[in-house]
Amino acid sequence: MPLTILRCAMKRAKARWCQHRSLYNSSHGFNETEAKRALALHSGGSVNLHKGQNGIAELCLNNPSRKNAISGSMMLELEEQISDLEKWNDGKGLIVYGAEDTFCSGADLSATNALCKPKDGLMMCMFMQSTLTRLQRLPLISVSLVQGKAIGGGAEICTACDFRLMTEESEIRFVHKHMGIVPGWGGASRLIQIIGPRQALKLLSSAQGIHPEHALSIGLADDILSSTADKAMEEAQTWISSYTKGPAETIRAIKKVVTSGREHALVDSLRKEKDIFGTVWGGPVHLQALSKVLKRN
Ligand SMILES: CC[C@@H](C(=O)O)C(=O)SCCNC(=O)CCNC(=O)[C@H](O)C(C)(C)COP(=O)(O)OP(=O)(O)OC[C@H]1O[C@@H](n2cnc3c(N)ncnc32)[C@H](O)[C@@H]1OP(=O)(O)O
């Protein structure tokens, strides 16, 4: 294999590895194997994934008897489902939602109580920050479908998607102040990216419940769904389809360039955009579209 092709293949492999690796390693005092062992001790609920034929996946936070609180085992299942989605090359979109009438009431309080030592809290923080960053970086257009409450860590999870759709009675609330902490799953950093530092400071320091109209006015929500609970998913599927029409290859490249622009300084982002452009220019989708346009004109 000529050296140039080998170099390109190695660069692509490295890029894929970088996207999937944890934000933290032993130099930060993080041991992924130990973290997984500790979190597995706190079981309850599940995280279920359905990958649709239409390229839209549905990820369910499923612990209704505890208002979809995230147990330790659910943190592990969330990471496993995101690993699955990272390998889903036909994927174009993702809808994250909660079972029954709630989005998510945050970390399971019995688990956080057992993990209340600083060392254990930091382990959970680094595991969930890495997991939700990988969710945010998926080359899929992602939506949090917020029905009912998204509280604490639940509010943090909904900031890890590209868009937020809220039903009329729903509420997002960063309750961390009342618990004497700050967001532990990356929610503060992402909230600042979404609504800016001033509005983020207001929501975090007031710990107020954010209702749909207010969320829409500050840019935290992207739309308010009129449906009743049983129709909300159908309405969310229709909403996301406006952004996922077309070949998966193109939709995924568009999400990648936006992720790159969000995370890199301008010059690095331009270079990443060039690399991504190089993966689609002259490809089958581009050439087919080009021939269609040339025939039309
Ligand atoms: C780093 C993560 C960390 C953070 O970001 O700060 C966290 O997320 S810490 C958790 C923060 N979340 C909370 O403080 C929310 C606590 N729950 C509530 O405020 C309310 O339950 C609710 C979500 C507003 C719903 O209220 P309501 O409809 O009145 O239901 P109940 O309160 O009766 O709850 C039903 C049932 O569910 C249990 N439950 C609810 N939330 C949790 C939770 N986070 N962990 C564990 N269990 C939870 C609640 O105890 C009830 O159980 P039973 O009494 O056994 O029926």
Side-chain angles (χ1 to χ4, degrees), residues 1 57 76 90 107 197 199 220 236 266 272 278-279:
M1 180 188 285
L76 300 181
D90 296 331
Q199 288 291 352
L220 180 57
L266 179 60
K272 180 76 180 158
T279 66

Short mmCIF file of all heavy atoms in Angstrom, two decimals, residues 1 57 76 90 107 197 199 220 236 266 272 278-279:
data_model
loop_
_atom_site.label_atom_id
_atom_site.label_comp_id
_atom_site.label_asym_id
_atom_site.label_seq_id
_atom_site.Cartn_x
_atom_site.Cartn_y
_atom_site.Cartn_z
N MET A 1 0.86 -1.19 0.00
CA MET A 1 0.00 0.00 0.00
C MET A 1 0.90 1.24 0.00
O MET A 1 1.81 1.35 0.81
CB MET A 1 -0.88 0.00 1.27
CG MET A 1 -1.83 1.23 1.37
SD MET A 1 -2.66 1.31 2.98
CE MET A 1 -3.89 0.05 2.84
N ALA A 57 -32.52 7.14 15.45
CA ALA A 57 -32.54 6.25 16.62
C ALA A 57 -33.31 6.91 17.75
O ALA A 57 -33.40 8.15 17.82
CB ALA A 57 -31.12 5.94 17.07
N LEU A 76 -23.54 3.05 32.81
CA LEU A 76 -22.77 2.10 31.99
C LEU A 76 -23.53 1.76 30.71
O LEU A 76 -22.94 1.71 29.62
CB LEU A 76 -22.49 0.82 32.78
CG LEU A 76 -21.70 0.98 34.08
CD1 LEU A 76 -21.49 -0.38 34.74
CD2 LEU A 76 -20.36 1.68 33.84
N ASP A 90 -25.14 4.11 9.20
CA ASP A 90 -26.35 4.51 8.46
C ASP A 90 -27.16 5.56 9.24
O ASP A 90 -28.18 6.05 8.78
CB ASP A 90 -27.25 3.29 8.21
CG ASP A 90 -26.55 2.27 7.31
OD1 ASP A 90 -25.70 2.71 6.49
OD2 ASP A 90 -26.81 1.06 7.46
N ALA A 107 -29.25 12.14 38.63
CA ALA A 107 -28.59 10.93 39.15
C ALA A 107 -29.49 10.29 40.20
O ALA A 107 -30.22 10.98 40.92
CB ALA A 107 -27.25 11.29 39.77
N PRO A 197 -22.97 32.89 28.56
CA PRO A 197 -22.60 32.89 29.98
C PRO A 197 -23.59 33.66 30.88
O PRO A 197 -23.85 33.23 32.00
CB PRO A 197 -21.22 33.55 29.98
CG PRO A 197 -21.06 34.21 28.67
CD PRO A 197 -21.94 33.49 27.71
N GLN A 199 -26.98 34.21 30.55
CA GLN A 199 -28.21 33.44 30.82
C GLN A 199 -27.87 32.18 31.62
O GLN A 199 -28.63 31.78 32.51
CB GLN A 199 -28.89 33.05 29.50
CG GLN A 199 -29.55 34.21 28.76
CD GLN A 199 -30.79 34.75 29.49
OE1 GLN A 199 -31.25 34.17 30.49
NE2 GLN A 199 -31.29 35.86 29.02
N LEU A 220 -32.77 28.05 24.87
CA LEU A 220 -32.49 26.72 25.44
C LEU A 220 -33.35 25.66 24.74
O LEU A 220 -32.89 24.54 24.50
CB LEU A 220 -32.76 26.72 26.94
CG LEU A 220 -32.53 25.40 27.68
CD1 LEU A 220 -31.09 24.89 27.50
CD2 LEU A 220 -32.82 25.56 29.18
N ALA A 236 -41.91 14.60 17.40
CA ALA A 236 -40.44 14.80 17.42
C ALA A 236 -39.80 14.18 16.18
O ALA A 236 -38.89 14.74 15.58
CB ALA A 236 -39.85 14.20 18.69
N LEU A 266 -10.55 28.84 14.95
CA LEU A 266 -10.92 28.99 13.54
C LEU A 266 -10.01 28.22 12.59
O LEU A 266 -10.49 27.42 11.79
CB LEU A 266 -10.94 30.48 13.15
CG LEU A 266 -11.30 30.75 11.68
CD1 LEU A 266 -12.68 30.21 11.34
CD2 LEU A 266 -11.19 32.24 11.36
N LYS A 272 -10.13 21.14 9.62
CA LYS A 272 -10.99 19.95 9.84
C LYS A 272 -12.10 19.96 8.78
O LYS A 272 -12.45 18.93 8.20
CB LYS A 272 -11.57 20.03 11.25
CG LYS A 272 -12.47 18.89 11.62
CD LYS A 272 -11.71 17.62 11.95
CE LYS A 272 -12.69 16.51 12.31
NZ LYS A 272 -12.13 15.17 12.14
N GLY A 278 -13.07 16.81 1.94
CA GLY A 278 -12.36 15.83 1.12
C GLY A 278 -12.98 14.44 1.16
O GLY A 278 -12.78 13.63 0.25
N THR A 279 -13.78 14.19 2.21
CA THR A 279 -14.40 12.84 2.27
C THR A 279 -15.68 12.78 1.45
O THR A 279 -16.18 11.71 1.16
CB THR A 279 -14.76 12.45 3.73
OG1 THR A 279 -15.80 13.34 4.20
CG2 THR A 279 -13.56 12.56 4.65
#
